[in-house]
Amino acid sequence: MQKAIARVTLQSALLSLCSALVATFLTPKNPPIVALVIFSLLATPPNFLWQQYLERKFPGYRVEKQESNVEIKGAQSAGGGVTIKKKLNVRNTLMKMGIEQTL
């Protein structure tokens, strides 16, 4: 888990750096590059943990198991004639989106 947080934080910092560098060439005002990278380094870990919490509480996909020999598009085979299909849980997705936008 901590490796994932470190990886995501590093990616976020690099994206902020690239974005700020591009902005320096496109705008007459120079953005505070160091401040943007530091903010990214500080804000990403709590956001990552928050998204993980929301996904645990409101899973975005339901797993449906079907016993069939017919191949279903977008499904994965679990062996033994069982097919696992992930289906979007629209209610939970809307709940997560509403919570993210209000808090």
Side-chain angles (χ1 to χ4, degrees):
M1 177 68 126
Q2 291 174 349
K3 281 187 178 183
I5 292 173
R7 182 176 40 86
V8 169
T9 302
L10 180 62
Q11 288 174 352
S12 175
L14 288 174
L15 284 173
S16 292
L17 177 63
C18 291
S19 175
L21 290 174
V22 169
T24 59
F25 294 112
L26 298 178
T27 60
K29 294 182 180 180
N30 289 336
I33 296 173
V34 176
L36 291 172
V37 172
I38 290 173
F39 175 78
S40 179
L41 289 170
L42 294 175
T44 301
N47 286 335
F48 181 82
L49 294 173
W50 174 246
Q51 293 296 323
Q52 292 293 320
Y53 172 78
L54 285 177
E55 187 60 33
R56 278 194 313 273
K57 293 297 178 183
F58 305 103
Y61 288 92
R62 287 189 300 248
V63 176
E64 296 178 355
K65 294 181 182 178
Q66 296 177 347
E67 293 187 26
S68 166
N69 292 334
V70 179
E71 189 171 321
I72 300 171
K73 186 177 180 181
Q76 297 175 347
S77 176
V82 177
T83 303
I84 298 174
K85 184 178 179 183
K86 291 173 75 173
K87 186 175 180 183
L88 180 66
N89 189 335
V90 177
R91 180 183 174 274
N92 282 355
T93 302
L94 292 174
M95 290 284 291
K96 286 191 292 189
M97 190 172 67
I99 291 171
E100 289 171 1
Q101 298 301 314
T102 57
L103 294 180

